[in-house]
Amino acid sequence: MKMSDGVEQAIHSVAMMAGLQPDGVLSASALAEFHGVSTSYLLKHLQALSGAGLLTTKPGPTGGYRLAHSPNDITLLDIVLAVEGTAPAFRCSEIRQRGPSPLPGKPTAPCGINAAMLRAERVYRDELAKVSIADVLGDLRAKDTDGAIAARGCAFLELNERRRNAN
Amino acid sequence: MKMSDGVEQAIHSVAMMAGLQPDGVLSASALAEFHGVSTSYLLKHLQALSGAGLLTTKPGPTGGYRLAHSPNDITLLDIVLAVEGTAPAFRCSEIRQRGPSPLPGKPTAPCGINAAMLRAERVYRDELAKVSIADVLGDLRAKDTDGAIAARGCAFLELNERRRNAN
């Protein structure tokens, strides 16, 4: 089981957008260049984030993306579900009902295997829901003892942020 | 993110093998027929379970598979890792180190995003490790109030179990 690379790209992109001014946006190409990834691939994930209501989009040639909510209100779970979809990883196909000798009648109780798999997925999601983008950034700041990471982010935003007043 | 169908097939197959006599085995084709799935696909998963040490194999035309351990000692996590591989679902590609402006020097601290994603995966795996095949069967027995599920399993084993004495 492998999560798409898009999740990593989406989380890093959202974290970068948390540094924008209230009227600023970032283009997909700037985010893709900064992270060394394909623009078309990243665009797909930014659109998924936008579709899930996590980003707002400013259209047009000077447009781009920004967060639709505070970094406190966007969790890793929100991003994972936006990029990977909301279906559980384990999908019961009711194989207990297949084959030449299916169970008589339609089962009323859910399959215990499915229930156990979904219970584990519930705790996984609950854990991801505990971590906001603000938490991720707080953790980053705590580790960034010489300020090199913050300086790199600031230099990127300085160069690439598109602001309403500048257009 | 979607787990392969093989996980469901593998868990149901292991649960069925828990009903074998100490000298009994089941063939891949019998298990595949019972569950209404492709023999070649199931065979791949039975081989993965065998490679992970969860099944033992009796070779030859009258051979087959049986559990290598007690159903108490085989967990859902064991089966998921055998079929899906042991790598985490989230695989950090260190995109913070990519692009035209990578962080100076090799980072000593793990990326906080990766750490948070792996923490969630840890609780997911811990939850799956709590559930043994014996638990799954106990749950099934509790729900099988009229004995229809047990009767179906017994009829299958009666017909398909290959025992040493019979060969």
Side-chain angles (χ1 to χ4, degrees):
Chain A
M1 185 171 58
K2 185 181 180 310
M3 208 171 261
S4 98
D5 296 340
V7 173
E8 184 184 15
Q9 298 179 17
I11 297 171
H12 280 269
S13 295
V14 168
M16 178 56 81
M17 283 183 267
L20 287 169
Q21 299 296 319
D23 63 346
V25 295
L26 279 171
S27 70
S29 59
L31 282 164
E33 187 189 0
F34 183 74
H35 293 120
V37 299
S38 141
T39 301
S40 59
Y41 190 57
L42 182 63
L43 199 55
K44 187 182 136 194
H45 301 305
L46 294 173
Q47 285 166 348
L49 293 171
S50 181
L54 304 179
L55 301 184
T56 53
T57 311
K58 184 188 165 198
T62 61
Y65 297 88
R66 58 174 292 100
L67 303 190
H69 311 287
S70 146
N72 284 302
D73 298 327
I74 299 178
T75 69
L76 294 184
L77 179 63
D78 294 328
I79 300 172
V80 167
L81 296 185
V83 173
E84 291 283 329
T86 55
F90 181 82
R91 301 183 197 167
C92 173
S93 70
E94 280 281 348
I95 67 172
R96 63 182 176 159
Q97 287 301 98
R98 285 153 64 176
S101 164
L103 283 173
K106 201 167 166 60
T108 47
C111 176
I113 292 169
N114 189 30
M117 295 299 290
L118 294 182
R119 214 160 40 234
E121 201 144 335
R122 185 70 270 157
V123 302
Y124 176 66
R125 292 188 177 194
D126 287 349
E127 195 68 22
L128 288 181
K130 286 181 196 164
V131 185
S132 71
I133 288 298
D135 295 332
V136 165
L137 292 169
D139 174 76
L140 188 66
R141 269 192 294 275
K143 283 179 185 154
D144 186 25
T145 47
D146 63 358
I149 298 174
R152 176 175 172 252
C154 287
F156 169 76
L157 289 174
E158 181 102 13
L159 199 64
N160 292 287
E161 182 167 7
R162 294 172 170 176
R163 301 187 61 184
R164 198 178 300 136
N165 298 341
N167 300 333
Chain B
M1 184 171 59
K2 186 182 179 311
M3 208 171 260
S4 98
D5 295 340
V7 172
E8 183 184 15
Q9 298 179 18
I11 297 172
H12 280 269
S13 295
V14 167
M16 179 56 79
M17 283 184 267
L20 287 169
Q21 299 295 319
D23 63 345
V25 294
L26 278 171
S27 71
S29 59
L31 282 164
E33 187 190 0
F34 182 74
H35 293 118
V37 299
S38 139
T39 302
S40 59
Y41 190 57
L42 181 63
L43 199 56
K44 188 183 135 192
H45 301 306
L46 293 173
Q47 284 166 349
L49 293 170
S50 181
L54 304 180
L55 301 183
T56 53
T57 311
K58 183 188 165 197
T62 59
Y65 296 88
R66 57 175 293 98
L67 302 190
H69 311 288
S70 147
N72 285 302
D73 297 328
I74 299 179
T75 69
L76 294 184
L77 180 64
D78 294 329
I79 299 172
V80 168
L81 295 184
V83 174
E84 291 283 328
T86 55
F90 180 82
R91 302 183 197 167
C92 173
S93 70
E94 279 283 348
I95 68 172
R96 62 181 178 162
Q97 286 301 99
R98 285 154 63 176
S101 164
L103 283 173
K106 201 168 168 55
T108 48
C111 176
I113 292 169
N114 189 30
M117 295 298 290
L118 294 183
R119 215 159 43 233
E121 201 144 333
R122 184 71 269 155
V123 302
Y124 176 66
R125 292 188 177 194
D126 287 349
E127 196 67 23
L128 288 180
K130 285 180 197 165
V131 185
S132 71
I133 288 299
D135 295 330
V136 166
L137 292 169
D139 174 74
L140 188 64
R141 268 192 296 273
K143 284 179 185 155
D144 187 24
T145 46
D146 62 358
I149 298 174
R152 177 176 172 251
C154 286
F156 169 76
L157 289 174
E158 181 104 9
L159 198 65
N160 292 287
E161 182 168 7
R162 294 171 169 177
R163 301 188 61 183
R164 196 178 300 135
N165 298 341
N167 301 330

